Amino acid sequence: MKRIATMLGLALALAACTSGPGGGSPAGPAGGSPTPLIVEGVSTPQSIKDKGKLTCGVKFDVVGFGFRNPTNSQIEGFDADICREIAKELGVEAELIEAVSANRIPFLNERRADLIISTFTINDERKTQIDFSRPYYIAGQSILAKIDNTEINSIEDLNGKNVCSAEGSTSETNVREKAPEAELVLFKTYTEAGQALNDGRCDAVSTDDVILFGLIDAYPDTELKGEPFTTEEYGIGMKKGSTELKALVDQVLADMEEDGRFAQLWEKNIGEYTTKEPELPPAP
Ligand code: GLU
């Protein structure tokens, strides 16, 4: 825990030096484009083998799932490791690129990424635009605030408060629905949301509990308030129509569970953040 806290602190310091103000700006080059660009065709196991690499969009700032270790630039985390296992199955190298919340669907439609493995909730609205693998993790949306903040104990308490989150996330939509009077302050990344909580620009950060745990490591004067108030089933995103790739990805997940790799990578990456059993949620 200590090691991660130190690394996240370093990553935050680097982010502060390199990124401009993120508030309200669209996430990534495609985030703000008015007409979504959809490049023809889909990635298939064969097209990925021909290309010689599997390109996965993952988070670079979410400890446990997708995190760039500032000491060696390695991308660590459960999402990153699942990408590596799928690449291994295909006999190609894994290329990991940063996918923030708002550019996940554009990255698939523009075919910049073959897969998005980025704390990505499966929901009906997204299923109209892209395909998902079977779920591989279940998170829940929660609230992070300063320990000494006694006013925030549940989602309703966010009404009238400044609430930070990431643009293009289900976290954003859920706050809009469940606390309509909250003043949402949106960033490209959760790192920026955490910084805003720390320096008082927002009263709370709301997103998936597993993402907030990383922020607690970085800001020990914060804590989760209340219980999770949504169910976020994470799936691997693929461009709409990826029938062959989906079959392969679902098979790799099932094989990983069967031979113990799923539990091993779970323990290595997120074991310290969850008390859940390291097993695949049932396939729909
Ligand atoms: N799981 C949620 C989502 O897919 C929130 C976390 C995130 O933005 O990555 O939108």
Side-chain angles (χ1 to χ4, degrees):
M1 204 76 129
K2 189 79 199 263
R3 186 182 64 93
I4 290 172
T6 317
M7 285 194 313
L8 191 61
L10 184 53
L12 289 168
L14 290 173
C17 298
T18 53
S19 71
S25 56
S33 73
T35 344
L37 173 69
I38 303 190
V39 174
E40 239 176 79
V42 293
S43 302
T44 62
Q46 192 56 51
S47 77
I48 294 163
K49 283 180 191 164
D50 293 345
K51 190 171 55 145
K53 63 181 180 188
L54 172 72
T55 307
C56 298
V58 302
K59 292 270 164 42
F60 275 14
D61 69 334
V62 172
V63 171
F65 280 85
F67 180 72
R68 181 167 45 193
N69 183 330
T71 62
N72 59 12
S73 294
Q74 287 298 304
I75 312 301
E76 299 171 350
F78 196 41
D79 286 345
D81 281 344
I82 290 175
C83 175
R84 293 185 178 104
E85 292 304 315
I86 299 168
K88 228 182 270 169
E89 176 69 27
L90 288 162
V92 297
E93 78 174 70
E95 178 188 45
L96 299 165
I97 61 172
E98 183 177 16
V100 297
S101 302
N103 63 21
R104 291 174 293 191
I105 292 178
F107 271 19
L108 291 172
N109 283 335
E110 293 163 15
R111 299 198 61 195
R112 293 187 202 205
D114 302 303
L115 300 175
I116 293 288
I117 318 181
S118 179
T119 61
F120 202 6
T121 298
I122 304 169
N123 67 20
D124 289 343
E125 204 269 315
R126 288 175 176 165
K127 278 200 275 184
T128 64
Q129 302 178 63
I130 57 164
D131 290 342
F132 280 102
S133 70
R134 64 181 291 172
Y136 65 90
Y137 185 76
I138 301 179
Q141 186 167 340
S142 293
I143 297 163
L144 183 75
K146 296 262 172 85
I147 292 172
D148 62 10
N149 184 331
T150 51
E151 286 179 19
I152 298 178
N153 296 300
S154 70
I155 175 71
E156 290 79 29
D157 298 335
L158 297 184
N159 286 304
K161 299 284 192 306
N162 290 332
V163 180
C164 288
S165 196
E167 183 178 30
S169 61
T170 53
S171 319
E172 171 192 352
T173 331
N174 292 331
V175 172
R176 279 191 206 288
E177 262 173 39
K178 294 175 195 291
E181 305 297 319
E183 200 58 57
L184 266 169
V185 185
L186 298 173
F187 296 90
K188 288 184 197 172
T189 65
Y190 292 105
T191 300
E192 291 166 295
Q195 286 164 342
L197 173 64
N198 186 49
D199 64 28
R201 280 173 289 153
C202 53
D203 304 301
V205 175
S206 185
T207 186
D208 301 344
D209 45 9
V210 279
I211 297 178
L212 296 175
F213 292 141
L215 295 180
I216 297 176
D217 281 345
Y219 303 113
D221 61 339
T222 62
E223 66 180 5
L224 295 190
K225 304 284 190 180
E227 294 302 312
F229 54 89
T230 69
T231 300
E232 308 290 325
E233 283 199 330
Y234 291 177
I236 298 174
M238 286 158 256
K239 192 162 177 269
K240 191 96 196 137
S242 299
T243 320
E244 276 184 67
L245 190 55
K246 176 178 157 50
L248 178 122
V249 165
D250 283 345
Q251 190 58 51
V252 172
L253 287 171
D255 291 347
M256 283 172 67
E257 176 163 65
E258 176 84 24
D259 63 24
R261 278 175 295 158
F262 188 82
Q264 187 235 319
L265 295 175
W266 172 301
E267 291 302 346
K268 169 185 149 199
N269 291 300
I270 56 173
E272 67 182 291
Y273 297 113
T274 178
T275 50
K276 292 180 183 146
E277 287 302 309
E279 56 196 19
L280 273 178

